[in-house]
Amino acid sequence: MNKKESSKAHVPTIPELLAPAGNFEKMVTAIHYGADAVYMGGKQFSLRAKAGNFSDQVMKEAVEYAHEHGVKVYITINILAHNRDFADLDQYLLSLRDARVDALIISDPGILLRARKTVPEIPVHLSTQANVTNAQAAKFWFEQGVSRLNLARELSLQEFEEVRAEVSGELEIFVHGAICISYSGRCMLSNYMTGRDANQGACAHPCRYKYKLVEEKRPGEYFPVEEDDRGTYIFNSKDLCLLQGLPELVASGADSLKIEGRMKSIFYVGGVTRIYRAALDFLKELPEEAWKNPAEIKLPEILATEIAKTGTRGGTENFFKQVPGGSEMIYTTTRVDMEVEPVAVIRKEGVAPLVEARNVLETGYSIEYMLPGMECIPVVVQRMETEKGEETVRANPGNRVLLYTDPPLEQGKLNGILRRQKGKS
Ligand code: SF4
């Protein structure tokens, strides 16, 4: 346990950084950019049914890869289960034990009961779907054999500290990513409107849709609910971002900091993991003196600049310091435009690395290599060659090319991401 010390002048333990892995490539990217642990779903029993997820064999390979890199793997089995869901559960749990996963993420008490009986050697983490909002609930779940709680996203820092003071088990908290307008996913909006059940991992995100008003005696007459001529998105929350609150969270004794986004791109996973890793590494180096007042610790400004480039709906601290209000929603659009876009991923290192294009890449483009840490290396694409040795001036998404740049990208590492300013050559 990363327990808070009685004097804040003590250097706190740096918590685990837990990143989403919607598929194998996203897992590799999260590990490349500094995750200590990743979470993923199997083909069954997992929310985020459309995230890609892992077959038994691929999961085994993924766990092996992660362990070789010193990274832990947690498996989500966090649906709210119906009786029919239990038929294949034991077999699935045993396959996870064989794959040597490090923990199960569960929200349903029935699944917890079966997991403790069938695979008691695998630790269980309670999912945020269980909505733990107080110390008594935390004690209850620890008494049920859970080793870690992911607390509800609706807690303030003070409430988190109060829970921390009363329990000794591990506490995990979401620090970044999309949030619901309901208590962490306990929402029937998607089921009602599209038949896709958020509690079974199939949310269609109708909270992000555009809505109009209908008066009951005037069916068919749709009155606009407008902030401007693009309409309004009345339930559309900004994304959680607790980057600036990290010093206080770390000092408060969080054991694990979780990033949301198994459905998101490798660019998001890599970009967000990279910045939180850099922030935690920065905090790790601070002298004891700095921890006397964690609220006064300032992170390097470049971290905020970089996190804004990872693709979000704008940032909110949600309930961290105060109850969120209307300003924490975005009424005008479903997402915020990104100023940068990924162009390629490095597939083989070298003076001219082999890269796989993710967007159109042309000679003459100014691009940046995202180093793990805070820095990027700017380069200009001078020449490209296909794997057959033919020169080309353009690579389309999916194409693999040898990339000759000025200066040469010798520092480019396998699985590193290249990006560029949108709309610039
Ligand atoms: S519709 Fe929105 S609020 Fe409801 S579960 Fe889906 S993402 Fe969450």
Side-chain angles (χ1 to χ4, degrees):
M1 185 195 68
N2 175 22
K3 198 164 167 47
K4 188 176 169 183
E5 305 291 344
S6 55
S7 161
K8 286 188 176 179
H10 288 137
V11 178
T13 305
I14 297 297
E16 168 191 272
L17 181 59
L18 174 56
N23 59 29
F24 202 100
E25 187 185 37
K26 291 175 194 176
M27 179 195 73
V28 166
T29 306
I31 292 172
H32 177 76
Y33 282 106
D36 298 308
V38 293
Y39 63 100
M40 58 180 70
K43 289 286 180 197
Q44 298 162 286
F45 307 109
S46 171
L47 294 183
R48 300 289 172 262
K50 292 172 91 66
N53 292 337
F54 293 71
S55 66
D56 288 359
Q57 183 52 34
V58 176
M59 190 180 289
K60 229 174 190 167
E61 289 165 22
V63 175
E64 270 171 31
Y65 180 94
H67 286 175
E68 278 165 16
H69 290 79
V71 171
K72 290 184 175 164
V73 178
Y74 309 145
I75 305 299
T76 54
I77 315 182
N78 56 346
I79 58 167
L80 297 183
H82 290 250
N83 287 329
R84 61 179 178 273
D85 294 318
F86 287 82
D88 302 326
L89 181 61
D90 283 350
Q91 198 185 346
Y92 181 59
L93 291 169
L94 292 169
S95 75
L96 295 179
R97 185 188 63 189
D98 292 346
R100 298 178 51 244
V101 306
D102 296 287
L104 308 173
I105 302 174
I106 289 174
S107 57
D108 185 286
I111 292 185
L112 170 64
L113 187 68
R114 287 284 281 274
R116 298 308 296 150
K117 281 189 178 151
T118 310
V119 286
E121 61 275 55
I122 309 181
V124 172
H125 297 174
L126 193 74
S127 165
T128 197
Q129 297 289 120
N131 309 116
V132 176
T133 52
N134 61 74
Q136 297 308 310
K139 285 178 184 171
F140 169 82
W141 284 109
F142 283 129
E143 282 177 14
Q144 306 311 309
V146 166
S147 66
R148 177 187 291 189
L149 305 179
N150 182 300
L151 296 173
R153 279 176 265 209
E154 293 77 17
L155 289 190
S156 65
L157 174 63
Q158 189 186 334
E159 288 174 306
F160 173 78
E161 289 176 337
E162 288 164 7
V163 175
R164 174 75 291 167
E166 291 209 33
V167 297
S168 57
E170 291 184 0
L171 297 179
E172 180 182 288
I173 192 157
F174 269 105
V175 288
H176 199 90
I179 43 181
C180 290
I181 45 122
S182 62
Y183 267 89
S184 294
R186 296 231 163 188
C187 165
M188 294 301 286
L189 196 59
S190 181
N191 205 351
Y192 179 69
M193 292 183 71
T194 70
R196 287 172 48 180
D197 190 347
N199 299 304
Q200 296 284 327
C203 181
H205 305 283
C207 58
R208 317 276 180 213
Y209 293 178
K210 188 172 179 179
Y211 290 91
K212 291 192 186 298
L213 184 71
V214 181
E215 195 273 325
E216 65 176 336
K217 294 199 178 71
R218 297 171 212 215
E221 282 186 50
Y222 299 103
F223 296 95
V225 186
E226 283 180 351
E227 291 295 307
D228 61 22
D229 57 7
R230 284 172 295 177
T232 191
Y233 299 81
I234 49 182
F235 304 134
N236 187 25
S237 169
K238 290 179 182 173
D239 287 342
L240 177 66
C241 178
L242 293 185
L243 182 66
Q244 302 303 339
L246 277 196
E248 287 167 279
L249 260 182
V250 170
S252 299
D255 294 284
S256 178
L257 307 179
K258 187 170 188 175
I259 297 165
E260 183 276 345
R262 279 190 286 150
M263 306 271 285
K264 304 259 176 68
S265 68
I266 58 162
F267 181 60
Y268 167 90
V269 171
V272 174
T273 303
R274 167 178 174 256
I275 295 310
Y276 279 87
R277 172 81 279 144
L280 292 176
D281 288 350
F282 171 83
L283 293 177
K284 196 165 92 184
E285 298 304 322
L286 289 180
E288 188 174 325
E289 184 70 13
W291 291 102
K292 278 187 177 159
N293 190 354
E296 295 294 311
I297 295 174
K298 295 276 173 263
L299 295 172
E301 274 180 29
I302 190 171
L303 295 175
T305 313
E306 283 290 304
I307 204 80
K309 294 178 181 174
T310 54
T312 71
R313 298 180 183 92
T316 169
E317 291 197 331
N318 205 23
F319 289 82
F320 191 64
K321 288 284 175 72
Q322 58 190 27
V323 174
S327 62
E328 309 311 308
M329 312 291 277
I330 24 176
Y331 299 103
T332 52
T333 178
T334 191
R335 33 187 326 108
V336 170
D337 285 338
M338 285 166 62
E339 34 167 314
V340 296
E341 62 183 7
V343 283
V345 184
I346 295 178
R347 293 300 181 208
K348 199 171 173 193
E349 297 169 13
V351 179
L354 179 70
V355 304
E356 185 179 299
R358 287 304 163 102
N359 271 302
V360 170
L361 181 58
E362 294 183 3
T363 51
Y365 274 10
S366 295
I367 61 175
E368 290 179 315
Y369 168 57
M370 271 170 48
L371 282 163
M374 301 184 205
E375 305 301 325
C376 285
I377 301 176
V379 297
V380 177
V381 180
Q382 297 222 302
R383 201 161 71 80
M384 292 188 287
E385 243 177 47
T386 68
E387 285 179 280
K388 290 179 184 160
E390 292 159 355
E391 195 148 328
T392 181
V393 293
R394 178 186 168 104
N396 289 318
N399 291 163
R400 286 174 167 234
V401 288
L402 290 166
L403 199 64
Y404 294 86
T405 57
D406 181 25
L409 251 179
E410 285 163 298
Q411 286 163 279
K413 293 279 180 247
L414 182 67
N415 303 316
I417 293 173
L418 299 160
R419 71 184 189 191
R420 70 186 274 260
Q421 289 284 325
K422 258 182 166 176
K424 282 195 183 167
S425 60

